[in-house]
Amino acid sequence: MKTLTRALSFITILFLMSGLLINLNKKNIKIVSAETAPAKVAVFLLDFNDDFIAEIADNLKAVQNENSGKVEYTFYDGKSDQSVQNAQIEKALDEGVDLVLLNIVDRANAQNVMNRIKEHNVPVILFNREPVSPVPIKSYGKAIYIGTDGAQAGALEAKMVIDAWNASSQYIDKNNDKIMQYVMLQGEADNSEALQRTKSAVSTIDKSGISAQQVALIADWREDLAYNATKQLYERYKDQIEVIIANDDTMALGAIKALQEYGYNNGDISKTIPVVGVDATPPAKELIQKGQMLGSVYQDARAYAEALYLTGMNMISGKNPIEGTKYIFDYTQVSIRLPQTKYFYRNMFTGGNAIEGTIETNDNQ
């Protein structure tokens, strides 16, 4: 009887152990498949029609192809409408994602969006469009921001304008008063990066010794609004507008389209108003080479894509976002600033080929 009891006990133990091994194997299978499946990343963009945002998307696709099997990006067009973007975020979170990359439409709505993402415990990287304050990002331990240094971009815009004025003021100074009258197409009135670009551009021009006068300051980033605003300003000021400083190429292109309707910026240097922008998008570079636009500061879409990929993969793995990378956080401890040191420039008044200029700066990546 004892022998039979021991045998039954031994069989029971074997049965329990085999069941345990099967369960462990099932768990191992799940772990292996999770490790080999590509990370699912939802990329929410302001608007597919924004040239620079489209460039970032193209570069993220290139990064995905270069890292086959590691990441899978799904792109959503916010159509410049926060309600549209909110619905897209809800859908993606409900379906399940490993990471959110957020080019937010309404920067003032960042806290509400952050709260929703936080409920799903999904890491998030906001980029390019910075919340009005760092508070929403700091409210969630799995959130960071990646952007650029607005002051650097503004200084570079000013440098191009200063160089053109010093070499060709006889063409630019339409009213011969030896004062540079300029229009500033700023961007959103409460956008910290736009404000930094504006402040830096103005101060750099002031420090150069050139007498300058701001004719008008216009807000928002859209091409159609810049086009309409430039037409209205030209009707009001005409030859008092001698330079246009746009804080991105989208607005610069809108301004140039408006000027061309009045016979300006079509190749005749006697009827050309220098326009500078930021992003160095392909359409802007084409206009620069044609002599219809003075220059543009590079925002490196590839650098954005690489930073989003490297920090994002760290966050998916539960690591510090900047671990093993070249990036550092700024004073906020949640924001990474990509440096801007290059510009694309051609003085249409003196001729010659377009050049890629650089300035020395502290690398704060």
Side-chain angles (χ1 to χ4, degrees):
M1 185 67 180
K2 288 183 179 179
T3 302
L4 179 60
T5 301
R6 287 173 184 169
L8 289 171
S9 298
F10 182 70
I11 291 170
T12 302
I13 291 169
L14 283 176
F15 178 77
L16 291 172
M17 288 181 67
S18 64
L20 180 61
L21 287 172
I22 289 168
N23 285 332
L24 285 173
N25 284 335
K26 286 180 179 177
K27 289 179 180 179
N28 287 337
I29 289 168
K30 288 180 182 178
I31 291 170
V32 170
S33 66
E35 289 177 345
T36 56
K40 293 176 63 178
V41 180
V43 186
F44 301 99
L45 302 176
L46 167 71
D47 199 309
F48 282 3
N49 290 322
D50 184 293
D51 292 329
F52 183 63
I53 297 305
E55 272 198 84
I56 293 178
D58 288 343
N59 278 274
L60 283 170
K61 292 172 187 174
V63 167
Q64 176 178 309
N65 291 336
E66 293 160 12
N67 296 274
S68 180
K70 294 183 180 179
V71 66
E72 182 179 291
Y73 295 114
T74 302
F75 298 90
Y76 299 85
D77 182 2
K79 301 183 184 299
S80 295
D81 186 329
Q82 189 60 55
S83 63
V84 170
Q85 192 172 74
N86 286 344
Q88 293 169 340
I89 292 171
E90 287 291 339
K91 181 176 182 292
L93 290 174
D94 288 342
E95 290 175 352
V97 294
D98 299 308
L99 174 70
V100 167
L101 303 182
L102 179 57
N103 181 227
I104 195 166
V105 173
D106 181 3
R107 297 172 308 102
N109 192 50
Q111 188 64 70
N112 291 332
V113 176
M114 191 67 65
N115 291 342
R116 192 72 187 99
I117 296 172
K118 186 177 180 180
E119 288 176 11
H120 287 259
N121 198 34
V122 175
V124 55
I125 304 175
L126 289 88
F127 68 97
N128 181 253
R129 290 178 57 78
E130 189 168 10
V132 176
S133 86
V135 171
I137 305 172
K138 289 185 173 183
S139 72
Y140 181 31
K142 295 183 178 182
I144 65 170
Y145 173 76
I146 296 178
T148 55
D149 187 326
Q152 289 177 353
L156 284 171
E157 286 192 282
K159 173 176 170 48
M160 291 185 284
V161 169
I162 292 165
D163 288 350
W165 179 270
N166 288 337
S168 311
S169 62
Q170 69 271 29
Y171 297 104
I172 302 171
D173 189 9
K174 299 281 190 295
N175 54 16
N176 298 310
D177 64 354
K178 301 188 186 304
I179 299 173
M180 180 198 297
Q181 276 92 15
Y182 66 90
V183 168
M184 177 67 71
L185 300 178
Q186 177 173 272
E188 291 163 306
D190 62 350
N191 185 306
S192 60
E193 199 160 318
L195 293 172
Q196 288 171 4
R197 290 177 187 177
T198 298
K199 182 179 179 180
S200 179
V202 171
S203 66
T204 301
I205 291 170
D206 288 344
K207 290 174 185 176
S208 73
I210 295 172
S211 296
Q213 177 187 1
Q214 183 172 282
V215 176
L217 185 149
I218 306 296
D220 223 323
W221 299 107
R222 286 165 43 187
E223 181 178 322
D224 59 333
L225 296 180
Y227 166 83
N228 291 330
T230 302
K231 289 190 72 170
Q232 292 169 8
L233 289 170
Y234 183 81
E235 291 290 344
R236 180 176 179 182
Y237 295 107
K238 293 189 168 56
D239 282 353
Q240 289 183 56
I241 300 175
E242 297 173 336
V243 171
I244 296 178
I245 301 171
N247 279 338
D248 79 345
D249 285 346
T250 299
M251 293 187 294
L253 296 180
I256 291 169
K257 286 181 180 178
L259 293 174
Q260 288 177 334
E261 291 188 7
Y262 293 99
Y264 282 83
N265 293 47
N266 282 311
D268 180 356
I269 61 174
S270 68
K271 294 199 70 176
T272 295
I273 294 174
V275 179
V276 293
V278 177
D279 293 338
T281 59
K285 291 175 74 173
E286 182 179 347
L287 291 181
I288 293 165
Q289 290 170 327
K290 289 180 177 179
Q292 297 171 358
M293 181 172 172
L294 180 64
S296 182
V297 180
Y298 276 101
Q299 269 206 99
D300 192 339
R302 175 70 190 194
Y304 258 111
E306 290 176 353
L308 290 168
Y309 172 72
L310 292 172
T311 56
M313 294 303 282
N314 274 345
M315 294 172 78
I316 290 170
S317 300
K319 300 177 182 177
N320 185 310
I322 59 176
E323 181 179 325
T325 73
K326 61 183 177 180
Y327 310 111
I328 63 170
F329 288 121
D330 68 5
Y331 70 95
T332 67
Q333 294 303 304
V334 292
S335 299
I336 295 168
R337 304 288 172 184
L338 304 176
Q340 294 180 277
T341 61
K342 292 175 60 181
Y343 57 91
F344 192 74
Y345 168 88
R346 178 176 181 262
N347 185 337
M348 64 280 284
F349 304 108
T350 59
N353 296 323
I355 64 167
E356 290 192 346
T358 61
I359 60 168
E360 294 296 325
T361 185
N362 292 325
D363 188 341
N364 65 341
Q365 279 185 296

